[in-house]
Amino acid sequence: MSHFSTIPAVLLLSLPPSILVGIDLLTFTTSPQFLGIKNLPPGWHFLYTSETTSFSIRDGFWFHIPAPSPSPNLIVRKWDPTSSSLIPCSSDEEAQASEGLEGIWKERLTPYRQSAGGEEKGDWAALTRHITPALLSRLTGSETDWRITTASCGAQDADHIPGLSAAETGLEERELRFLGIDLKRTWRVGAVGRERTEAVLDRSWALGEVEKRFEFEGDEGGDVVMGEIEVCFLMVLTVANYSCLEEWKRVLVLVLTCRRALRAREGWFAEILGLLRRQLERGDDVEGGLFDMGDEGGAYMKGLLKGFKMILGQVFGQGEGEDIKEELGELEVFLKTEYGWELSDAFVRKGMLELEDGEQIEMELEDMEGEDERGEYAPVVVEL
């Protein structure tokens, strides 16, 4: 076995020229001489390909490079022209590729880097901190082949058309197995009346149930909720997967509408906000944007964060919850600088308006009642 096989690298066999290749946060178009990427740092990586650089199906797979060790760290895949994707090689093909590494190492393998400019910020490592093998196996339904494409979809996001087969609807892709969050039912079985209403206004119970169901994914330093947020965001960023975007939104709504859990897990919520800020800083890397961050398109995220800030003010008093408040403050600064967002309620809702003839009338702004949960939109606990 060549000594080069102990240096982390990914070898891509029979890859046609001018294919779009992406690894982590870097994308490039291949040349005829390109055969792979070398000097991969330890940690999680996602490599994907597409036949064109425009909006088309992208196909990728996750893999992990362990900390430096004498064992082989060579990942070998080959191009399958039938499926237009990279597929695993046989053990014989891998052994043969390993023996031939010395002849191609210098000229035909490109060194790993995070960005086209060569600036290494460690962003990718910070965005994949809570991913585990158990999470990827559950999500993809495979213990070893952690493949996700643009068309991969969760059951709750699929459009099921009666009378048409999966082939006819284009849904033959592997199903993504998400956390199964149902935001329309966030209370325990048997709950009625006030308990149900409170579980809608405070989703702490539902968050705890999700974590209990998937606690086995917490091994190796992982966290099931943060891991789901990380993977789903990165699948939007790299392969533009719509279903992962929907799951990303569902998890954030679940987390940012909790009240009781805030006090018990202050540090955890602070870490969630830090992760969200790092992700939104990368939002422009998504082709076409993560979503429209303008006044109309950004209403979803803006409303969610404004609601969370309101909850924060109700749960914590002066001098309390400082870690969460600090992270939310940093997120606010970023959103205000980049998009002009205001998450505070520091604007006049009611006042006197002077008309042209000098008459004064009292006016009240009602346009923001839905976003601020005032007036007819205010939550009410009812007895059934």
Side-chain angles (χ1 to χ4, degrees):
M1 179 181 293
S2 167
H3 75 280
F4 286 100
S5 63
T6 63
I7 302 175
V10 57
L11 191 60
L12 308 177
L13 306 177
S14 306
L15 195 65
S18 301
I19 290 289
L20 177 72
V21 172
I23 183 165
D24 302 345
L25 299 175
L26 177 70
T27 58
F28 54 90
T29 303
T30 61
S31 69
Q33 292 297 309
F34 175 79
L35 279 178
I37 303 164
K38 60 187 176 182
N39 303 333
L40 296 167
W44 288 103
H45 298 283
F46 185 72
L47 189 144
Y48 58 98
T49 59
S50 175
E51 289 189 289
T52 67
T53 57
S54 61
F55 287 100
S56 60
I57 296 294
R58 295 181 176 183
D59 186 298
F61 63 96
W62 284 93
F63 63 96
H64 186 264
I65 298 296
S69 68
S71 60
N73 278 323
L74 180 65
I75 310 295
V76 185
R77 294 270 174 144
K78 64 180 180 181
W79 181 259
D80 176 26
T82 303
S83 63
S84 297
S85 63
L86 292 167
I87 61 174
C89 293
S90 67
S91 56
D92 289 341
E93 289 173 317
E94 289 185 358
Q96 184 177 0
S98 178
E99 291 300 327
L101 270 180
E102 187 171 358
I104 64 173
W105 186 267
K106 185 177 180 180
E107 301 294 335
R108 306 193 68 179
L109 298 184
T110 185
Y112 173 88
R113 61 188 190 277
Q114 279 197 14
S115 64
E119 184 179 2
E120 304 298 323
K121 299 180 180 179
D123 285 359
W124 181 260
L127 294 171
T128 57
R129 193 171 294 156
H130 301 92
I131 297 173
T132 66
L135 186 155
L136 292 174
S137 295
R138 182 260 303 167
L139 184 64
T140 62
S142 173
E143 294 295 325
T144 55
D145 183 18
W146 300 318
R147 174 176 170 265
I148 298 177
T149 76
T150 302
S152 300
C153 188
Q156 59 202 112
D157 303 314
D159 293 324
H160 298 289
I161 305 175
L164 294 181
S165 66
E168 291 172 310
T169 59
L171 296 177
E172 287 188 301
E173 290 286 337
R174 178 185 292 172
E175 179 183 314
L176 298 178
R177 301 177 182 181
F178 293 129
L179 294 177
I181 295 171
D182 183 0
L183 296 172
K184 296 179 180 179
R185 188 188 181 284
T186 55
W187 53 85
R188 67 174 182 84
V189 175
V192 296
R194 175 182 291 272
E195 186 180 354
R196 279 196 181 191
T197 306
E198 290 177 346
V200 171
L201 301 177
D202 175 9
R203 294 189 168 107
S204 297
W205 180 87
L207 173 63
E209 286 301 297
V210 167
E211 292 178 315
K212 285 180 185 177
R213 287 203 310 270
F214 299 97
E215 61 183 353
F216 66 93
E217 293 180 11
D219 296 338
E220 304 175 32
D223 179 288
V224 59
V225 174
M226 278 193 273
E228 190 89 348
I229 293 174
E230 288 175 351
V231 168
C232 287
F233 172 78
L234 291 173
M235 292 304 90
V236 179
L237 189 71
T238 54
V239 297
N241 185 287
Y242 166 80
S243 190
C244 284
L245 175 60
E246 293 303 301
E247 174 72 354
W248 182 75
K249 290 179 180 180
R250 282 190 290 266
V251 180
L252 286 177
V253 171
L254 177 67
V255 171
L256 298 180
T257 51
C258 290
R259 293 173 180 265
R260 285 182 293 106
L262 277 174
R263 279 195 174 276
R265 307 175 62 182
E266 182 179 332
W268 186 83
F269 279 91
E271 193 173 353
I272 286 281
L273 292 175
L275 172 60
L276 178 58
R277 173 176 51 80
R278 289 191 296 273
Q279 291 183 337
L280 293 180
E281 288 172 350
R282 284 284 178 180
D284 289 340
D285 292 353
V286 180
E287 291 188 38
L290 184 59
F291 44 77
D292 181 9
M293 298 292 276
D295 288 340
E296 184 175 344
Y300 158 80
M301 179 60 68
K302 188 176 180 181
L304 183 60
L305 290 173
K306 286 188 71 172
F308 180 74
K309 185 174 183 179
M310 189 187 333
I311 292 173
L312 208 60
Q314 295 168 352
V315 171
F316 294 111
Q318 189 71 26
E320 297 180 323
E322 292 304 313
D323 289 344
I324 305 181
K325 291 177 181 177
E326 182 180 347
E327 283 291 351
L328 183 59
E330 291 186 23
L331 179 57
E332 275 192 274
V333 170
F334 165 73
L335 291 172
K336 185 174 182 179
T337 302
E338 291 295 315
Y339 307 108
W341 285 12
E342 290 284 354
L343 300 185
S344 65
D345 294 329
F347 54 87
V348 177
R349 291 197 183 99
K350 188 175 182 180
M352 301 301 295
L353 175 67
E354 184 172 339
L355 304 180
E356 292 181 357
D357 59 3
E359 180 184 0
Q360 291 187 334
I361 59 174
E362 186 178 58
M363 300 288 292
E364 182 173 3
L365 181 66
E366 297 181 350
D367 294 351
M368 302 294 288
E369 281 192 347
E371 189 170 317
D372 298 337
E373 295 186 343
R374 296 181 294 116
E376 65 177 298
Y377 298 96
V380 178
V381 176
V382 296
E383 295 287 354
L384 298 178

